[in-house]
Amino acid sequence: MKHRAIRTFRDDAGARFSRWVELGADEVGAGEVLIRSRFAAINYKDARAVSGAGNVIKRFPCIPGIEVSGVVESSADARFRPGDEVTVQGGQEFGIRHDGAFSERVRVPADWVHRIPEGFDAFSVVALGIGAYTSAVAVETLERHGVVPGDGEVIVTGATGGCSSFAIDMLAGLGHRVVAMTGKASEHAYLKSIGAARVVGREIQQQHTKPLDEQLWSGAIDAVGGAPLDFVLRTMRKGGVVAPFGNAAGETFATSIYPFILRSVVLAGVNANHPLDRRTGAWMRMTTDLRPRALETIVHRVPFARLVEHCQALIAGGVRGRGVVVFD
Ligand SMILES: NC(=O)c1ccc[n+]([C@@H]2O[C@H](COP(=O)([O-])OP(=O)(O)OC[C@H]3O[C@@H](n4cnc5c(N)ncnc54)[C@H](OP(=O)(O)O)[C@@H]3O)[C@@H](O)[C@H]2O)c1
């Protein structure tokens, strides 16, 4: 029986493009476990892969998508049986070098497959997934460096993005006063509804251009890199902590040494692309004190047939929150 998938190709000139394909169960990569997909997350890097932008896919052709949940259809490994609810997410292979999540059926090595952890279900394990886990790790990074509620305002950049929306929700839930920085003037009400105490536009960057400007933030979670990260650094309070995890505004940034040597600002990077079995305590905190209260506001369901259009809109900056593909 054939099923539908989105596959990314590279032509002779090196250009990447994706198209719908019909595949058999033995045409979606090697592995002991065949899964019927139910939900798949749409991360920024997945949208870039589907749109042919950037250098996400490392082997061609390849099905993008790095997080899926579903039901085991068949397994040659004794750890899994037909009917088991499972998830595959994280690592350096799935949806990058090995066919990934944007497929009605997924075949992977048994070692990559995990039962849905306690406290999660097939939807929430993907709806939260790497996006919310990244935010949880960023929040823990601020905590580890001593940022506590009541210290002062914490700014979150790329505020309407999937990860940043969760970061706002989590920080507000812990009692921080959160400032959301966004390029979307139409989404201020959304940002306040998920926990932002106030919202600033990206034009605030042009109002603070000195190498050491007004001291505004005790903490910062930065999803975008580039010029906004430089702005955040020059407006940190003495001893403030910045946790960057993304590059939507640029892979490089210019800054001066002054925030570091005159204000002891800490730049503490976040890499949260851990497979499920190597996640830190931040993962399980998402079922307790870091549980996003506005999950249903942040996450929106995208029918599989609408995936390509959704990815194009996300790359163009026209999407808020986190998209989750629904296969049923
Ligand atoms: N380090 C890690 O372990 C890790 C894990 C997951 C994701 N990431 C990275 O985190 C970033 C965010 O991922 P995501 O899935 O949340 O993406 P997303 O939903 O697309 O969010 C990115 C947000 O950044 C802002 N933005 C986009 N283009 C921009 C530009 N040119 N200048 C300034 N702001 C811009 C937009 O927010 P506004 O319109 O509200 O400003 C957008 O919603 C990505 O770079 C991703 O690769 C890293």
Side-chain angles (χ1 to χ4, degrees):
M1 193 180 73
K2 297 273 186 189
H3 66 267
R4 282 186 324 146
I6 281 283
R7 205 166 227 182
T8 304
F9 297 81
R10 184 173 58 190
D11 67 17
D12 292 343
R16 293 132 201 266
F17 62 95
S18 301
R19 62 177 160 80
W20 291 100
V21 291
E22 298 258 323
L23 300 168
D26 54 353
E27 295 176 287
V28 283
E32 300 86 17
V33 184
L34 182 67
I35 299 164
R36 186 161 42 77
S37 307
R38 290 195 61 205
F39 302 105
I42 310 171
N43 294 284
Y44 180 72
K45 74 195 279 186
D46 302 322
R48 280 167 65 84
V50 169
S51 310
N55 192 25
V56 178
I57 301 290
K58 306 292 186 197
R59 187 220 74 189
F60 295 91
C62 188
I63 297 170
I66 59 171
E67 296 176 273
V68 72
S69 66
V71 178
V72 172
E73 207 167 280
S74 66
S75 172
D77 185 289
R79 284 172 285 177
F80 300 102
R81 291 162 177 261
D84 286 348
E85 282 207 310
V86 294
T87 185
V88 181
Q89 44 185 278
Q92 301 301 320
E93 301 288 325
F94 188 59
I96 297 169
R97 292 185 181 83
H98 183 289
D99 281 331
F102 296 152
S103 175
E104 287 169 333
R105 281 141 111 211
V106 163
R107 182 181 286 286
V108 286
D111 285 347
W112 299 1
V113 182
H114 299 278
R115 283 175 209 289
I116 310 286
E118 191 143 349
F120 296 82
D121 57 30
F123 176 72
S124 66
V125 78
V126 158
L128 293 165
I130 291 169
Y133 175 62
T134 301
S135 304
V137 174
V139 169
E140 282 201 336
T141 301
L142 297 189
E143 290 175 342
R144 196 168 57 250
H145 289 279
V147 179
V148 294
D151 261 5
E153 291 185 325
V154 177
I155 189 168
V156 179
T157 64
T160 64
C163 298
S164 295
S165 292
F166 285 126
I168 291 166
D169 184 316
M170 291 174 188
L171 287 166
L174 292 174
H176 289 278
R177 185 175 158 82
V178 185
V179 177
M181 178 168 145
T182 181
K184 297 187 185 78
S186 57
E187 298 296 349
H188 289 208
Y190 161 75
L191 290 165
K192 287 187 175 160
S193 78
I194 63 171
R198 65 186 182 98
V199 182
V200 295
R202 289 186 200 156
E203 60 280 359
I204 191 176
Q205 295 170 85
Q206 283 76 55
Q207 294 151 14
H208 298 82
T209 54
K210 291 190 239 159
L212 278 182
D213 214 302
E214 201 178 346
Q215 298 191 44
L216 299 174
W217 330 113
S218 61
I221 292 183
D222 175 54
V224 300
L229 177 54
D230 176 37
F231 156 75
V232 163
L233 286 166
R234 36 176 214 272
T235 50
M236 292 306 293
R237 285 167 44 171
K238 206 164 193 175
V241 184
V242 183
F245 64 79
N247 59 358
E251 294 172 355
T252 59
F253 64 100
T255 189
S256 80
I257 194 69
Y258 297 119
F260 307 106
I261 64 172
L262 296 180
R263 288 188 183 161
S264 306
V265 169
V266 174
L267 186 57
V270 172
N271 178 357
N273 189 19
H274 308 148
L276 214 52
D277 54 351
R278 282 204 267 121
R279 291 189 183 166
T280 65
W283 175 251
M284 287 315 290
R285 274 183 76 184
M286 295 198 306
T287 65
T288 57
D289 64 329
L290 294 185
R291 179 172 216 118
R293 300 168 300 174
L295 180 71
E296 288 296 333
T297 307
I298 293 170
V299 174
H300 45 99
R301 293 159 172 82
V302 179
F304 189 34
R306 301 278 310 155
L307 173 64
V308 175
E309 292 86 338
H310 182 91
C311 289
Q312 288 163 347
L314 193 147
I315 295 297
V319 169
R320 79 173 193 209
R322 178 162 164 93
V324 171
V325 172
V326 180
F327 289 91
D328 304 326

